[in-house]
Amino acid sequence: SNFNKYISTMKSAIFTTLIAGAAAFAPAQTGKASTQLAAFENELGVQPPLGFFDPLGLLEDADQERFDRLRYVEVKHGRICQLAFLGQIVTRNGIHLDGNIDLAGNTFDSFPNGIAAIIGPDAISQSAVLQIVFFIGTLELGVMKDSANGAEPGEFPGDFRNGALDFGWDTFSEDTKLRKRAIELNNGRAAMMGILGLMMHEQIEGNPVIGLFLTY
């Protein structure tokens, strides 16, 4: 049955996760590499239950500039995935924008949810996809920038205020700022796993996890 296939898939996912987690407990390297890694063990995001977690060794022989670049990418991907996950649960709950999405009179809710909205027989037009790519590219190259990619340096990687957007950030204490940044990191990490899971399950007979919960 579909439910048994779902259980089997989840078992495989859990097994894969356990293997990846085991890499974190491999014997640590000694010498220069250990000294460099130790420099990042007190960075924001190193917190229970995993602590310092770098199973792929991306920080081996890395300097502060390399770490900041990786943190910038992590924060950006986390923000994107939070929006993507929110979009999934909202649209699959039947909530869509009113009106038409194109001049042909097609409504927003006339297209499928998830990845099927841009890939597949019932997807939006190619020109609409190109508009989305152009809009995202404009944000990437001209708006969402910080010290990690050439804009005016911010306080930390992912600081996109650029001297304009603040929303009271400067009124917070240093402890509050660190706490809020840690919350964002955790939420972003969870969202990256969440949206990946939804995208994978969407390919299982076209039924994502959310749909399974609603079905059973």
Side-chain angles (χ1 to χ4, degrees):
S1 65
N2 292 341
F3 184 73
N4 289 334
K5 291 180 180 179
Y6 165 67
I7 294 298
S8 177
T9 301
M10 290 303 296
K11 287 181 178 179
S12 298
I14 293 172
F15 178 71
T16 302
T17 302
L18 290 175
I19 293 178
F25 299 95
Q29 294 187 2
T30 58
K32 180 181 177 182
S34 296
T35 302
Q36 290 174 323
L37 289 177
F40 304 116
E41 290 181 355
N42 294 320
E43 289 282 355
L44 183 72
V46 180
Q47 52 202 47
L50 293 179
F52 182 75
F53 186 70
D54 183 28
L56 298 180
L58 297 178
L59 291 177
E60 292 180 9
D61 299 324
D63 55 13
Q64 188 65 43
E65 183 179 359
R66 167 72 172 167
F67 177 86
D68 288 344
R69 176 60 186 173
L70 291 173
R71 173 50 51 84
Y72 164 79
V73 172
E74 179 185 23
V75 170
K76 182 172 70 171
H77 288 180
R79 291 168 177 171
I80 293 171
C81 289
Q82 288 178 77
L83 291 173
F85 191 88
L86 181 62
Q88 279 271 14
I89 62 177
V90 169
T91 55
R92 290 189 183 280
N93 195 39
I95 302 174
H96 299 85
L97 293 175
D98 293 329
N100 300 328
I101 193 174
D102 54 29
L103 296 178
N106 295 307
T107 59
F108 283 93
D109 59 3
S110 65
F111 292 94
N113 300 312
I115 195 66
I118 58 175
I119 301 176
D122 300 320
I124 59 178
S125 65
Q126 184 178 16
S127 60
V129 174
L130 291 177
Q131 289 179 50
I132 295 175
V133 172
F134 176 78
F135 176 70
I136 295 175
T138 301
L139 292 178
E140 176 73 13
L141 298 176
V143 180
M144 300 300 182
K145 305 181 70 173
D146 71 358
S147 58
N149 59 8
E152 187 70 20
E155 290 184 9
F156 51 86
D159 182 0
F160 290 166
R161 290 176 298 162
N162 293 316
L165 302 175
D166 186 78
F167 300 111
W169 179 259
D170 289 331
T171 64
F172 299 140
S173 67
E174 291 303 316
D175 288 342
T176 300
K177 289 180 179 180
L178 287 175
R179 182 175 63 84
K180 288 182 176 295
R181 288 175 58 199
I183 291 173
E184 181 186 30
L185 269 177
N186 275 342
N187 289 348
R189 290 166 176 173
M192 285 187 272
M193 298 298 294
I195 193 62
L196 179 61
L198 291 180
M199 291 171 64
M200 293 179 64
H201 280 277
E202 187 174 351
Q203 302 306 309
I204 302 175
E205 299 183 0
N207 201 0
V209 175
I210 294 177
L212 288 171
F213 288 158
L214 294 177
T215 300
Y216 296 101

